[in-house]
Amino acid sequence: MADSTLPIGGAIDLTPQSEVYGTWLEQVHDWVVTADHKKIGLMYMAYALIFLLVGGVEAILLRIQLAVPHNNFLSPEVFNRIFTMHGTTMVFLMGMPLIIGFGNYLVPLMIGARDMAFPRLNAFSFWMTSLGGLFLYYSFIGGVGLQGAGSAPDVTWWAYAPLTERAFSRGHSTDYWALALIISGFGTIGAAVNIIATTLCMRCKGMTLFRMPLLVWLNLVVAGMILITISPLTAAQIMLVIDRYLGGHFFDSQAGGSPVVWNHFFWIFGHPEVYVLVLPAFAIANEIIPVFSRKAIFGYPAMVAASVGIGLISLSVWAHHMFTVGMNSASNAFFVLSTGMVGVPTGIKIFNWLATMWGGKIRFATPMLFCNAFLIQFLFAGLTGIMLSVAPWNWQLHNSYFVVAHFHYVLVGAIVFCFPGGFYYWYPKMTGRMLDERLGKWHFWLFVVGFHMTFDFMHVPGLLGMPRSIYTYEPGRGWDGWNMIVSIGGAVQAVATLIFVYNLVHSYFKGAEAGPDPWDAWTLEWTTTSPPPAYNFASEPVVSSRRPLWDLKHPEDPDSRYE
Ligand code: HEM
Ligand SMILES: [Cu+2]
């Protein structure tokens, strides 16, 4: 089968590399001091999964409290701490490590490199991110101890001034929020520098920019966005610490500062942040949909342009989160238009995914199911986003549960669908074993039902005027029944997630042997063993198309004919 004109990484070494040596302590030591991108990637993923469960438990606590009116399961103080921690956790301790974990594991393999450009910076970045998360969670026991959720931050995940000024936030809860995110932010910036340097400088022979898998392109765009957007957030957090301890007045309107300046700084980071989280989900769909449709992606150049386009436009829309702060109509109009423009490249992506599936031989294995559900949900999430981007409509629904439903549709609908799909697809490569397909189908269908019960019906009380961030509500306002359905949906999502966790653990020991290329795919990671050897490739691969492994398997129909 081997084609002499295309040696990929030299001879394919098929001996599984799963032997682990030494005592468990030596193995732990090995992971703690490792600079191997695969191990660091897996540690990021494990970290993210742990915080998905923690953030999920927090969501369930919130939904128990809100299931019925006038509930006193959680006190108002604890409710504020739990929803602030839920939002902060899901974005910074689940979402960010998950996208960086997948990027870390896959990018060097997909471009034919042995490792990231700066392996030790890579390890440093992971441990900084972990330290930030642990410091944030120490707040639950810091100060007064666990009762009342300790000193956990209670000022929402956007920490609006003046709530965060010392006059209002006396203890250290806001300090935990600011310092923890400054620490983990250094880790994130380090990871972004590594992804950019690796993608631009470590590609194997023949891997031109326009032969890179789309996942690598999207990680490159995301890394660029991280460098541009984490910096303003870190700067604002440092200004906040100066306000709280060094007599600064950046956000203190009583002393010439302005709380609205904090809003601008936060959302200059905050809106691109949702794309930093969602574009890697797109990246996973870009790899899975073609392989399970048995067709190359439709419109590769347009997909690259759309990804870069989304990245650039998303830097210009931030104040659509601030239509109610009193900007003048020219500013409102600018942000209405710039937000509408995001719909164009997003539409191109959705069209190209559908065009890729059109006429394909589609296999609805679990990875493909998750990506298809994402495709439909993201369309609806985008539509409610367009609705909210129209200022007069936004004035009615700002800070309501319609907004909470919308951003969960985006975040859960993209991240918590595509990344499990990515796990079902790449877990065989990472572990050498297949995830159980039957459990996968249970996970998928239960999660689909739970997702739609929770977030479809969450829009309704929002339209009926229910504000967010309230720990309880009056009966008889037409919100009761909807909130009960939403909470039951949350419980169904929890059960589905537990099935997923069981599948991840059980398959590691009992899963079917995977072999190097279980899905008959065509990117470089599938040319190595499962799991890949520590050195990735015995010799540097040489590629001549976007689908190097396809060329090896189909010398009669090389992909290079289509470039
Ligand atoms: C999967 C099930 C989930 C459920 C049932 C859920 C539920 C909730 C609830 C009830 C709130 C509080 C709303 C309020 O009172 O303002 C909330 C807030 C939030 N959630 Fe989730 N959530 C889930 C998953 C996620 C995920 C995966 C993410 C992000 C990746 C996320 C991000 C957020 C954010 C950013 C907030 C805002 C917190 C704030 O206002 O400070 N959630 N969620
Ligand atoms: Cu936004």
Side-chain angles (χ1 to χ4, degrees):
M1 185 165 79
D3 174 319
S4 58
T5 61
L6 192 64
I8 293 187
I12 295 181
D13 166 4
L14 289 179
T15 45
Q17 306 285 327
S18 52
E19 283 80 18
V20 285
Y21 304 100
T23 64
W24 71 266
L25 202 59
E26 283 162 344
Q27 289 168 41
V28 169
H29 174 263
D30 178 43
W31 282 83
V32 170
V33 299
T34 190
D36 173 356
H37 75 97
K38 297 178 292 300
K39 282 198 170 113
I40 292 173
L42 290 171
M43 289 197 285
Y44 268 115
M45 292 179 213
Y47 182 90
L49 285 173
I50 291 167
F51 278 110
L52 174 70
L53 298 177
V54 172
V57 168
E58 288 160 350
I60 293 297
L61 291 175
L62 297 173
R63 288 311 324 170
I64 294 172
Q65 171 62 21
L66 294 166
V68 290
H70 275 178
N71 199 354
N72 55 15
F73 171 70
L74 298 176
S75 72
E77 294 77 21
V78 173
F79 184 90
N80 291 349
R81 294 190 195 285
I82 300 283
F83 84 67
T84 301
M85 285 297 271
H86 162 78
T88 308
T89 301
M90 284 297 199
V91 171
F92 292 100
L93 307 187
M94 185 281 282
M96 296 299 273
L98 195 58
I99 66 161
I100 294 170
F102 268 77
N104 235 300
Y105 192 95
L106 292 170
V107 168
L109 284 168
M110 282 184 155
I111 63 173
R114 281 249 160 83
D115 207 315
M116 297 289 266
F118 311 116
R120 276 183 293 279
L121 170 66
N122 206 16
F124 169 78
S125 303
F126 171 73
W127 291 111
M128 283 300 276
T129 299
S130 315
L131 183 65
L134 295 177
F135 182 67
L136 181 69
Y137 267 77
Y138 176 74
S139 69
F140 266 122
I141 54 173
V144 294
L146 198 53
Q147 87 213 8
S151 303
D154 57 355
V155 286
T156 79
W157 86 285
W158 5 274
Y160 275 178
L163 292 176
T164 49
E165 296 288 309
R166 286 203 54 80
F168 297 95
S169 173
R170 298 190 183 292
H172 290 303
S173 55
T174 297
D175 306 318
Y176 280 114
W177 184 86
L179 296 173
L181 296 187
I182 290 173
I183 296 168
S184 64
F186 284 120
T188 309
I189 289 173
V193 168
N194 235 325
I195 290 272
I196 294 172
T198 305
T199 306
L200 297 181
C201 310
M202 308 281 283
R203 283 171 283 127
C204 65
K205 283 199 190 70
M207 179 69 76
T208 59
L209 283 177
F210 268 70
R211 282 189 182 144
M212 295 195 305
L214 285 169
L215 183 138
V216 180
W217 259 111
L218 279 143
N219 273 273
L220 181 63
V221 170
V222 164
M225 291 172 71
I226 286 175
L227 286 190
I228 296 169
T229 57
I230 290 268
S231 321
L233 176 71
T234 307
Q237 286 163 335
I238 292 170
M239 285 190 253
L240 177 60
V241 173
I242 293 171
D243 267 19
R244 291 176 57 82
Y245 290 98
L246 300 173
H249 299 295
F250 290 102
F251 311 119
D252 179 0
S253 54
Q254 310 300 311
S258 159
V260 174
V261 171
W262 171 270
N263 287 34
H264 280 293
F265 267 98
F266 182 84
W267 288 114
I268 285 173
F269 151 79
H271 183 87
E273 172 65 12
V274 297
Y275 278 102
V276 162
L277 294 175
V278 165
L279 285 177
F282 287 7
I284 290 173
N286 281 335
E287 300 305 323
I288 289 177
I289 291 179
V291 168
F292 289 85
S293 306
R294 308 314 298 156
K295 278 176 58 182
I297 191 91
F298 180 89
Y300 175 97
M303 284 302 238
V304 172
S307 309
V308 175
I310 290 175
L312 290 175
I313 298 172
S314 78
L315 297 171
S316 67
V317 303
W318 75 87
H320 67 214
H321 294 268
M322 299 163 59
F323 281 136
T324 57
V325 300
M327 292 186 295
N328 62 30
S329 43
S331 312
N332 282 341
F334 170 82
F335 288 106
V336 169
L337 290 174
S338 63
T339 308
M341 268 167 52
V342 177
V344 177
T346 313
I348 290 172
K349 284 206 163 262
I350 292 179
F351 177 84
N352 285 16
W353 284 319
L354 293 173
T356 304
M357 291 168 68
W358 186 263
K361 293 192 215 67
I362 301 180
R363 283 182 289 166
F364 279 112
T366 309
M368 189 60 164
L369 286 175
F370 273 104
C371 287
N372 273 252
F374 146 73
L375 226 164
I376 298 160
Q377 284 148 196
F378 200 76
L379 181 64
F380 287 105
L383 294 176
T384 54
I386 296 286
M387 292 158 81
L388 283 166
S389 76
V390 179
W393 171 279
N394 185 288
W395 291 331
Q396 312 307 322
L397 288 166
H398 186 66
N399 268 354
S400 76
Y401 255 88
F402 188 91
V403 174
V404 179
H406 161 70
F407 72 68
H408 280 96
Y409 232 86
V410 176
L411 294 171
V412 182
I415 304 169
V416 197
F417 275 79
C418 284
F419 280 94
F423 273 110
Y424 283 99
Y425 184 60
W426 281 292
Y427 182 91
K429 180 51 61 181
M430 296 166 185
T431 63
R433 293 179 181 272
M434 304 296 286
L435 279 171
D436 185 287
E437 191 58 13
R438 196 176 50 80
L439 287 174
K441 295 272 175 16
W442 272 101
H443 167 205
F444 172 74
W445 286 111
L446 271 179
F447 202 74
V448 165
V449 171
F451 173 88
H452 287 282
M453 272 181 79
T454 306
F455 301 117
D456 292 15
F457 297 110
M458 199 187 257
H459 288 91
V460 182
L463 284 171
L464 297 173
M466 182 178 175
R468 64 186 291 180
S469 314
I470 54 169
Y471 82 103
T472 190
Y473 49 95
E474 297 292 321
R477 290 192 169 195
W479 305 346
D480 315 23
W482 302 110
N483 275 290
M484 180 53 84
I485 298 171
V486 168
S487 295
I488 295 169
V492 175
Q493 288 185 72
V495 173
T497 308
L498 293 177
I499 292 174
F500 177 47
V501 173
Y502 173 76
N503 199 351
L504 287 172
V505 177
H506 181 261
S507 303
Y508 185 77
F509 301 101
K510 297 271 187 313
E513 287 268 336
D517 177 25
W519 307 114
D520 190 11
W522 39 59
T523 36
L524 281 180
E525 76 272 26
W526 302 106
T527 66
T528 67
T529 56
S530 298
Y535 50 82
N536 290 358
F537 303 96
S539 63
E540 185 190 351
V542 182
V543 305
S544 58
S545 84
R546 288 181 196 136
R547 301 196 291 169
L549 188 49
W550 170 277
D551 294 348
L552 192 68
K553 290 186 267 189
H554 304 275
E556 78 292 349
D557 173 22
D559 197 58
S560 48
R561 270 201 301 173
Y562 302 105
E563 280 190 6

